[in-house]
Amino acid sequence: MISKKIILTGSFGVGKTSIFNQFIFQKFSDKYLTTIGVKVNKKTMNVKGQELSLLVWDIAGEVTQDKVPTSYFLGASGIIYVMDLSRPLTFDKAEEDTKYLKNLIPGAKLKLVGNKKDLLTESELAETVANIKLPIDSITSAKTGENILELFTSLAEDLI
Amino acid sequence: MTINRPKRDWKLCGHQVILLDEQGRVCESCDTIFDTKKLISDSICSQICFLESEFEVILNSSARKITFEKMQTECNFLPGYYDFTFCKQEINKKPYVIWEIYDHTKVYEQYINVQQITNELDIHQEFQNRKSKPLFPDSFLTKNFFQSSYLSKDKTYQSYLIDDLIRSKFDVFDLMVEQDVNQILQLNPSDLKESLKILINEISTFLKHIKQNQEDWIDMRSMCQAYCLSAKRKMDVVFDPDVPQKVFTDANIIRQLVALLCGEKSNNLNSKLTKMNVSYCESILGGRNLVFCFQEPVDDIKAFLNSSADRVIKLSVLKSLLSLLSGTLSSEYLEDDLIFSVSLTIPVK
Ligand SMILES: Nc1nc2c(ncn2[C@@H]2O[C@H](COP(=O)(O)OP(=O)(O)OP(=O)(O)O)[C@@H](O)[C@H]2O)c(=O)[nH]1
Ligand SMILES: [Mg+2]
């Protein structure tokens, strides 16, 4: 079976661990418990008739991405960069961070994600998305599970 | 080649060395953290997601040694927080990987607490700043974020913080638990945040250094003086006469430790003199104990705790760092003096 390494990264508190837990275990908790370092888990998916094992790395959010040890990124095929739609500061850094990541892992496919959709009304969401300079690939809610599976499926499709 | 070499005297616990072949099969292990003989399959890679993901990359990397810090696994035989190093080595013209595991669970549990506080303080500040310039009229911003966390109630976050910090999150000393923590409320969050961020860096540096074995002769007296000077700390340092002029020990560790002890500075540095006494005694384990004893006059213990939450946290982190080296930290409050004793066994050659 083919396996692919996917990293979840982005500023602290944006919901990386929540997306990870929703995808792997279909669980969500309201409680914020910060992650240190890395936790890796895997899930097998069937993409376009092919079995694929996704090895997902939940990486601690750092204020500056260059503080994250580069060893975590080695060999990654996919990057999910998460922003918190309710905290503009978390999208301010996205441009710089994703540039850095693309440079560090040239071949990797990147998905830019706006999370915590459930906290915004439709008009707030529209206004927020308009404020983000980069094109967002996916708008998710780790809480309700909305678009989480779709996010990983579409990334997996890009990888095979 | 045998990996069952005696572990370094400094690290009496929490260090395992495993020799893996190219397929990830265990060739040798000193089984101090987990029993490799109980592994069910041939290759260890199929049992730890992290290795399944990374073993190939490690084998094919141009670097000889790769470090992964603060690792958590999904396996019940590695349930804590670890640092991993992988070192490629050729034996009889065949490639092998030496995997070293350092169990830093206790220290990293405190590291998480420190990071939790700094992150929450950052996010809290973010929301505070937004309030003056709201993007949306609705207060959806804070609605969900702080549930069950330190800052859960906007107005009383400081008491939550201190309460948790002193009562449970940090392994603080008896004397501090005796105090009525509810009265300790006026803490400057941004000062606390800054000093905790420095602490996070110090912990990382310390853990990096204890992995390097660099034994050397150390002149303890001049080293302590130098650190006090650079920390601009008024300190009266007294060495017992039987402490040798030079001790042969792991230079990196002792430097880190003295830097942590002497460089430590509370933000309301009290004008009175701190005394440090260094003595030397036989250890029950057969080596020698180097004992650092600090005596710090404190007029008002409540005022001290109030302004020195960072210091309290730092001491409690220091305690867990010391435990990695089988050292101890204890404290007592004696007639207006706060006394901290740090005891550390130094292997003598
Ligand atoms: N309402 C809502 N809350 C969310 C969502 N995703 C995450 N959260 C909450 O946001 C907080 C932070 O989530 P985490 O998943 O721990 O964030 P993280 O990015 O892993 O943070 P670090 O590990 O510190 O980098 C928690 O309180 C979660 O419950 C979401 O989609 N909706
Ligand atoms: Mg997390």
Side-chain angles (χ1 to χ4, degrees), chain A residues 103-117:
Chain A
N103 215 350
L104 196 69
I105 331 165
K109 294 270 185 285
L110 184 126
K111 295 275 177 199
L112 195 64
V113 176
N115 186 40
K116 308 198 189 178
K117 173 176 191 267

Side-chain angles (χ1 to χ4, degrees), chain B residues 230-245:
Chain B
S230 72
K232 296 200 181 66
R233 192 186 164 100
K234 263 204 265 176
M235 188 145 69
D236 184 14
V237 186
V238 179
F239 276 80
D240 279 4
D242 61 338
V243 179
Q245 193 57 42

Side-chain angles (χ1 to χ4, degrees), chain A residues 11-18 28-35 60-61 115-116 118-119 141-143, chain B residues 119 144-145:
Chain A
S11 186
F12 57 85
V14 295
K16 298 178 296 294
T17 301
S18 303
F28 176 80
S29 160
D30 268 323
K31 194 169 169 171
Y32 175 38
L33 285 173
T34 187
T35 310
N115 186 40
K116 308 198 189 178
D118 59 285
L119 289 177
S141 166
K143 185 171 184 164
Chain B
N119 284 3
N144 267 28
F145 206 92

